[in-house]
Amino acid sequence: MIEVRGITKSFGTMLALDDVSFGIGRGEILGFLGPNGAGKSTTMKIITTFLAPDSGSVTVDGIDVLEKPLDVRGKIGYLPENVPLYLDMNVHEYLTFVGRARGLEGVALRDRLDWCVEACGLVTEYMKNIGELSKGFRQRTGLAQALIHDPEILILDEPTSGLDPLQIIGIRDLIKSLAGSKTIIFSTHILQEVAPVTDRVVIINEGRIIADGKVDSLSREAMGGVRLYVGLSQDSETVESSLRSLAEVSEVKPLPVENGCRFELLGPFTTDLTRSVVDLARNQGWDLTELHEAPFNLEETFISLTKRADDGRKGVA
Amino acid sequence: MSGTITIFRREFAAYFNSPIAYIFIIAFLVLNTGLFMTGFFLAGNADLRSFFGNLPIFLIFFIPAVSMRLWAEDKRLGTFELLMTLPLKASQVMLGKYFAALAFYLVALAGTLPLPIMIATLGNPDMGALWSGYFGSALLGALYLGIGTFTSGLMRDQISAVILGIMACFMIFVVGIPGVAATVDGWLPGFGSFLQNYVGLSSHFEMMLRGVVSLGDLTYFLGMTALFLTLNALWLEGRKY
């Protein structure tokens, strides 16, 4: 649906994007991750035709953003990072304005207004001036604006920034409810926000894509293996050394626990670590109380990936 | 076309959504009719020449204040990004904004219509000169607004936009003054007269006040306005790169 191929963009002497490529299929949700200033917004501005890349190309549903920007804009609903609101209008006037500017009128416009106001939870604020709305409602008004023309593609730049936890869940649920029917790219620098919504992420740092894929496989790859938690009801000196003796285990870390003992094991993800531990426990007659693989969370992955990317670049230099 | 109308409606309403519009219109009417009426009974002429004659200077300050918000405000609010990602050409958005500002100016100008009515009641004015004077004033405002819209696009904040607009309008006005043209001719023979005839507005506006609407003057006003609007559209397109 969206193909980004080798785009580069610089502002003055600052290189904002350096050979960025990724793609997203129809109906897919993509979490676009990266620290502040990594180039997330710039990439989104290029996809939405607000900015043009210095080199490289972007196609949306097969249409080049530079050749036919108006056709591309018609397909996209866009929520920029700074929510674009006219503070002197009320929610109704504002959404009507955006709807009309996007070519809706009459019954079609009314139907979309009703749907957006309902879906974005704006019913109570509908006739209020946008200048009087709280941050959360402003964000929702911005989201309603992006949805007004029922676009095939949604591009949301930090849709949950500055919201309280309940509002974040609200926006998240809304995005999830649109899954399947729309192609969605949303950016965030808060990693925990991605997992509940999607498992496909693209991670960008200092203008370069450093990872692209499913969260699970990215984590395994980034951390170089799997992590296992093992708990036993009995405590014994020999347990730790037995675990260490396993060929597949690269690291054993004892963890504090009230009864018995508990360990964190690390091993390469190519081996079946769980199997080996189960076999060992059977042979030794251990009473296992806990045994599960713990996926690495996004923070750990992210830190490891950015560090690796930095090291890589220094190595080249 | 419908896109331009949508933008026009939003921008025109925006003027009247804040008290600034009313303050602008009242200031425009009080200052202009006030200045005119002070001299009117002394001079005892049944015409509006002194009223129209003041406009080129007065509008140098008034028009950039009307147009300053057109782009600068959108950049401040972030709505510039919304406008530039709507499925509309940048020129459509620009024309919607420009015509909204022009309509606002024409509303203010229409507020002075009691003056010709009063003059027609008191004396026997040259109605042709009155109407061509109004027509010329509308064209004058249209030109200044073209400049003001352009300068508003260049700036991120409204204060810079208004100051740059005032300077640009002043330049267009001042090079048309015969004394200035003569001085410039003294430095660079021919250049001053060239500026006076093709860039400066005074001579073109003067003819309208006398009741003469010539194709040349019309071309000057519409051409200059189109020039600045084209520059604005080019800037909007070029901004992406």
Side-chain angles (χ1 to χ4, degrees):
Chain A
M1 194 69 174
I2 300 174
E3 282 299 327
V4 176
R5 285 187 218 93
I7 55 170
T8 300
K9 177 84 185 168
S10 47
F11 299 107
T13 56
M14 209 260 296
L15 188 62
L17 294 179
D18 184 6
D19 195 21
V20 166
S21 301
F22 63 91
I24 170 169
R26 191 177 292 271
E28 220 182 330
I29 302 185
L30 179 126
F32 200 34
L33 281 167
N36 290 321
K40 301 188 296 288
S41 293
T42 306
T43 307
M44 291 180 145
K45 282 175 187 184
I46 290 173
I47 297 173
T48 56
T49 79
F50 182 71
L51 292 176
D54 296 340
S55 63
S57 73
V58 178
T59 55
V60 173
D61 203 9
I63 308 166
D64 190 283
V65 294
L66 287 177
E67 281 167 18
K68 290 185 174 166
L70 298 195
D71 293 353
V72 170
R73 291 177 195 173
K75 289 179 180 291
I76 294 179
Y78 176 38
L79 174 63
E81 190 174 6
N82 291 326
V83 186
L85 300 171
Y86 285 117
L87 304 183
D88 58 318
M89 294 174 123
N90 67 34
V91 175
H92 164 73
E93 290 166 337
Y94 173 72
L95 293 179
T96 307
F97 163 70
V98 179
R100 286 220 176 96
R102 286 192 169 277
L104 293 172
E105 52 193 28
V107 183
L109 176 60
R110 263 203 305 281
D111 286 351
R112 287 305 299 166
L113 279 174
D114 290 346
W115 187 89
C116 287
V117 168
E118 186 69 41
C120 300
L122 286 163
V123 179
T124 53
E125 318 296 309
Y126 194 48
M127 283 300 166
K128 280 194 194 156
N129 253 21
I130 294 174
E132 295 163 12
L133 295 184
S134 67
K135 172 98 179 141
F137 280 117
R138 288 187 189 197
Q139 197 79 26
R140 290 191 212 188
T141 309
L143 197 58
Q145 163 276 124
L147 286 164
I148 192 82
H149 54 300
D150 200 11
E152 295 169 58
I153 299 163
L154 264 183
I155 298 199
L156 310 172
D157 198 352
E158 308 256 351
T160 54
S161 76
L163 300 185
D164 66 41
L166 268 181
Q167 293 168 329
I168 290 177
I169 292 170
I171 299 267
R172 204 187 274 165
D173 288 345
L174 183 60
I175 295 176
K176 263 195 277 185
S177 73
L178 298 168
S181 62
K182 300 199 187 310
T183 307
I184 304 173
I185 300 183
F186 74 99
S187 74
T188 178
H189 61 277
I190 303 165
L191 304 166
Q192 301 93 308
E193 276 182 8
V194 180
V197 181
T198 180
D199 57 355
R200 163 84 196 279
V201 292
V202 165
I203 302 178
I204 186 170
N205 189 41
E206 294 180 22
R208 290 158 186 256
I209 300 283
I210 54 172
D212 181 351
K214 302 270 178 200
V215 175
D216 289 348
S217 57
L218 278 182
S219 309
R220 288 172 164 219
E221 200 179 327
M223 307 309 288
V226 289
R227 175 167 55 184
L228 217 61
Y229 284 104
V230 182
L232 270 73
S233 60
Q234 70 264 51
D235 194 2
S236 160
E237 293 289 315
T238 58
V239 174
E240 188 175 339
S241 55
S242 305
L243 285 171
R244 277 188 200 285
S245 69
L246 284 172
E248 298 89 344
V249 172
S250 57
E251 203 181 324
V252 177
K253 221 190 288 174
L255 298 169
V257 67
E258 276 184 23
N259 296 314
C261 58
R262 191 161 180 259
F263 299 96
E264 184 185 310
L265 308 187
L266 293 178
F269 64 84
T270 47
T271 61
D272 194 349
L273 197 56
T274 314
R275 174 95 264 159
S276 312
V277 174
V278 169
D279 289 345
L280 182 70
R282 197 185 295 130
N283 291 341
Q284 304 276 345
W286 290 344
D287 180 20
L288 284 176
T289 55
E290 181 187 356
L291 177 62
H292 66 94
E293 187 185 331
F296 298 103
N297 63 30
L298 268 169
E299 268 87 21
E300 293 166 303
T301 310
F302 184 76
I303 290 165
S304 161
L305 282 169
T306 45
K307 198 162 156 259
R308 194 198 289 176
D310 284 348
D311 292 348
R313 213 167 320 158
K314 271 172 208 143
V316 171
Chain B
M1 189 59 195
S2 71
T4 304
I5 293 170
T6 304
I7 303 287
F8 171 86
R9 282 166 64 173
R10 139 78 207 155
E11 291 294 323
F12 191 65
Y15 277 110
F16 293 95
N17 271 352
S18 77
I20 296 170
Y22 303 98
I23 295 170
F24 267 25
I25 289 179
I26 289 167
F28 179 83
L29 295 179
V30 167
L31 289 172
N32 280 301
T33 56
L35 272 174
F36 172 72
M37 290 310 291
T38 341
F40 176 66
F41 290 109
L42 290 171
N45 291 329
D47 63 33
L48 280 173
R49 289 212 56 165
S50 73
F51 164 70
F52 290 131
N54 285 334
L55 277 183
I57 297 171
F58 181 81
L59 292 183
I60 286 175
F61 301 96
F62 181 76
I63 293 285
V66 170
S67 61
M68 65 180 179
R69 51 167 292 282
L70 286 180
W71 292 118
E73 172 90 340
D74 280 293
K75 287 191 197 163
R76 189 179 65 83
L77 289 174
T79 42
F80 185 66
E81 208 166 332
L82 171 72
L83 295 177
M84 291 296 121
T85 51
L86 289 173
L88 301 174
K89 287 195 193 113
S91 57
Q92 287 178 290
V93 178
M94 178 199 70
L95 286 178
K97 282 174 169 284
Y98 172 75
F99 283 119
L102 185 60
F104 177 76
Y105 164 67
L106 293 180
V107 167
L109 190 64
T112 65
L113 285 176
L115 289 180
I117 294 170
M118 176 193 76
I119 287 169
T121 322
L122 292 176
N124 212 351
D126 175 356
M127 291 311 281
L130 276 185
W131 292 125
S132 73
Y134 267 104
F135 185 55
S137 304
L139 288 175
L140 173 71
L143 168 56
Y144 279 174
L145 271 177
I147 298 172
T149 309
F150 175 59
T151 58
S152 176
L154 298 178
M155 292 296 152
R156 190 160 278 279
D157 80 305
Q158 302 197 21
I159 304 298
S160 325
V162 77
I163 291 172
L164 194 64
I166 288 171
M167 291 196 311
C169 291
F170 179 74
M171 289 309 291
I172 295 279
F173 169 73
V174 86
V175 295
I177 297 171
V180 176
T183 315
V184 177
D185 267 340
W187 300 329
L188 202 70
F191 188 57
S193 347
F194 168 78
L195 286 179
Q196 184 187 6
N197 292 328
Y198 296 101
V199 181
L201 61 81
S202 301
S203 61
H204 304 284
F205 188 60
E206 271 298 311
M207 293 305 284
M208 299 241 175
L209 298 198
R210 292 196 201 138
V212 184
V213 180
S214 76
L215 193 63
D217 297 331
L218 208 58
T219 312
Y220 165 79
F221 278 110
L222 296 181
M224 286 294 269
T225 307
L227 171 72
F228 281 102
L229 290 181
T230 309
L231 284 177
N232 194 349
L234 287 175
W235 171 83
L236 287 170
E237 288 297 335
R239 159 206 64 83
K240 280 165 84 170
Y241 297 92

